[in-house]
Amino acid sequence: KIQFMVSVWSKFDKQTKFNQEMNAKGVLINASTYMDAWNPVAQQLFYKYVQDAHFSIGVDALWLDATEPEYSNEKGQTIYLGSG
């Protein structure tokens, strides 16, 4: 059986509905384009969007890419787990 995996990032363009909803709920890191992956609200929203966009059409798995910090703007910012 062939399975289908999609690579997704934790960074979202500011023009997307997803980013706007995350920003409105305050779960972006320092109002950046990166979600706070440790925040339970962000996790629920993320799953809702990937369920609708990927799993509901047959995607088997997600590769959660860009999970490491890439920019110094997020360095020292407070996230759900604390300061970092």
Side-chain angles (χ1 to χ4, degrees), residues 3-77:
Q3 294 186 308
F4 183 45
M5 178 186 286
V6 174
S7 174
V8 297
W9 286 40
S10 59
K11 177 182 179 176
F12 308 97
D13 188 275
K14 290 185 178 185
Q15 303 305 313
T16 64
K17 180 181 174 185
F18 183 69
N19 180 281
Q20 292 167 5
E21 189 171 353
M22 288 280 203
N23 192 39
K25 296 199 181 281
V27 295
L28 296 176
I29 300 173
N30 193 32
S32 69
T33 56
Y34 286 92
M35 70 177 227
D36 181 353
W38 293 273
N39 186 303
V41 173
Q43 293 170 358
Q44 290 172 355
L45 282 172
F46 183 79
Y47 185 77
K48 180 185 99 168
Y49 275 86
V50 297
Q51 175 63 34
D52 293 346
H54 300 293
F55 296 139
S56 68
I57 62 168
V59 172
D60 297 302
L62 297 178
W63 176 278
L64 301 178
D65 205 349
T67 57
E68 69 283 348
E70 294 185 347
Y71 302 103
S72 61
N73 292 344
E74 285 74 42
K75 183 178 178 182
Q77 299 300 318

